């Protein structure tokens, strides 16, 4: 890699700090606010907790790893399952359940980081080989495909049921809204493919902006909430024992916790890529156990006040690679800006007015990219599908995950969808013959 413009501990000038910090904030902004929009949580609290989690991560990693933590897309479906879906207004039905699950995820991260500290990380790579992780990643993207298309094409319309005489919300196809989704999708593709500078690292944010402008022009944006919002507003906190009862159930845990199979693998991948970009070995210093603990503690604290689970962001790694500015002060500056911006009431109200079709359009690309990244992992790791063992593991994970298979024990206790597929994938990997060869290849 080329020499750094500013290395890890080098301080930028005031002008550089402000400009580059805003750049990193905008790089993560679109993705970080999209997750809460899709699962019925507060974008403001997601933005606030992304800044807090990033600061926690920097502290735990001894200010050696210039990574930004944003909302994790891997937990979209699990959050919806744990929270019981969305109501007619698009809000989460039981968001407290999702927060409890996210806290449990943070605890699991802590346990895994402790084990890595004591025993090394090779056991983790053997537990989560590419043949298990890659299909689960594909399930995350493809399992949400129907949601993305539905958001892009349909709108909720109130109609009176002729049989009952009661007004109900029903889905109705809208070509106007679908056009906004297509404009958003096209803009994001153009920024991602045809731009090679910093703009290429934030296609989600730029696609949403273009789609929003188009939506305003065709008249499907209601600016009333922006006019009514105050300049300063507290984010919508969710505190256990205050806003919801802290009641841990197996259903919540099994909906959320198994997804760490994917997110821990994603974390390791990001640390390896980031290490190559900044010419450091982060697996050794400050150590994978520290970075994983920082990620987990950030997720736990985030959930403690109502934010979604966190993960290190590839978008910000892309900004580092392009600008060659690795200064930890810039990442810290972006975190502070995110915290301050979350209290900007009118800006957060503006985010809330983004049409569902615009979010659907950007989700078509985003969920497709997630699924494709799983396919890419299979290719990069030279997974041989001529080997029946690999074919069986991938096939079972894909069909069970996308098909929504469920193992129900009671009316309230079930393991389903992505979580069940991930667990079955790990079990099959241990049971089927040929694992010795796989372990040898991983060690090499």
């Amino acid at each position: 890699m080329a020499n750094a413009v500013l290395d890890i501990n080098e301080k930028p000038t005031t002008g550089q700090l402000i400009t580059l910090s805003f750049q990193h904030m905008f790089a993560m902004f679109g993705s970080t606010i999209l997750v809460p929009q899709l699962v019925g949580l507060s974008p403001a609290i997601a933005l606030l907790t992304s800044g807090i989690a990033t600061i926690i991560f920097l502290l735990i990693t001894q200010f050696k790893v210039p990574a930004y933590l944003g909302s994790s897309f891997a937990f979209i479906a699990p959050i919806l399952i744990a929270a019981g879906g969305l109501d007619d207004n698009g809000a989460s039905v039981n968001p407290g359940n999702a927060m409890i699950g996210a806290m449990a995820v943070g605890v699991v991260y802590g346990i895994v980081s402790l084990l890595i500290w004591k025993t090394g990380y090779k056991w983790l790579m053997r537990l989560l080989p590419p043949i298990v992780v890659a299909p689960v990643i594909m399930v995350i993207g493809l399992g949400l495909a129907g949601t993305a298309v539905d958001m892009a094409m349909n709108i909720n319309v109130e109609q009176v049921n002729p049989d009952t005489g009661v007004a109900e919300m029903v889905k109705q196809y809208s070509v106007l809204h679908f056009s906004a989704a297509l404009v958003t999708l096209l803009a994001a593709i153009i920024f991602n493919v045809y731009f090679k500078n910093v703009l290429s690292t934030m296609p989600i944010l730029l696609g949403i902006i273009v789609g929003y402008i188009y939506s305003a022009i065709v008249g499907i944006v209601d600016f009333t909430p922006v006019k009514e919002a105050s300049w300063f507003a507290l984010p919508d906190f969710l505190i256990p024992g205050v806003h919801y009862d802290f009641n841990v159930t197996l259903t919540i845990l099994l909906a959320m916790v198994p997804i760490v199979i994917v997110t821990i693998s994603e974390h390791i991948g990001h640390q390896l890529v980031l290490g190559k970009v900044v010419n450091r070995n982060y697996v050794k210093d400050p150590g994978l156990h520290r970075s994983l603990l920082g990620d987990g503690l950030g997720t736990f604290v985030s959930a403690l006040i109502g934010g979604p689970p966190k993960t290190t962001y590839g978008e910000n790694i892309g900004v580092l690679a392009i600008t060659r500015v690795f200064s930890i002060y810039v990442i810290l500056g972006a975190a502070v800006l995110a915290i301050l911006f979350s209290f900007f009431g009118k800006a957060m109200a503006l985010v809330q007015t983004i049409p569902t079709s615009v979010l659907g359009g950007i989700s078509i690309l985003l969920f497709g990219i997630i699924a494709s990244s799983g396919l890419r992992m299979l290719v990069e790791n030279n997974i041989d599908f001529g080997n029946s063992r690999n074919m069986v593991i991938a096939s079972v994970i894909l069909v069970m995950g996308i098909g929504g298979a469920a193992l129900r024990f009671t009316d309230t206790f079930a393991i389903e969808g992505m979580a069940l597929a991930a667990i079955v994938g790990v079990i099959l990997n241990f049971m089927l013959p040929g694992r010795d060869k796989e372990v040898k290849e991983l060690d090499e």
Side-chain angles (χ1 to χ4, degrees), residues 211-276:
Y212 188 88
I213 293 171
Y214 173 83
S215 300
I217 292 172
V218 299
I220 59 173
V221 178
D222 180 12
F223 290 104
T224 304
V226 182
K227 296 176 183 177
E228 295 177 349
S230 59
W231 287 101
F232 174 84
L234 286 173
D236 297 324
F237 291 97
L238 279 174
I239 310 297
V242 177
H243 300 104
Y244 62 90
D245 293 330
F246 192 87
N247 184 25
V248 182
T249 67
L250 272 176
T251 301
I252 294 173
L253 297 180
L254 290 173
M256 300 281 288
V257 172
I259 309 307
V260 299
I261 291 173
V262 174
T263 54
I264 288 178
S265 299
E266 179 186 42
H267 176 92
I268 294 171
H270 280 172
Q271 293 307 296
L272 293 174
V273 171
L274 181 59
K276 290 179 181 178

Side-chain angles (χ1 to χ4, degrees), residues 42-46 48 232-238 305 339 342-344 348:
S42 164
I45 201 70
L48 171 66
F232 174 84
L234 286 173
D236 297 324
F237 291 97
L238 279 174
I305 58 175
I339 292 171
S342 68
F343 292 91
F344 187 13
M348 292 297 101

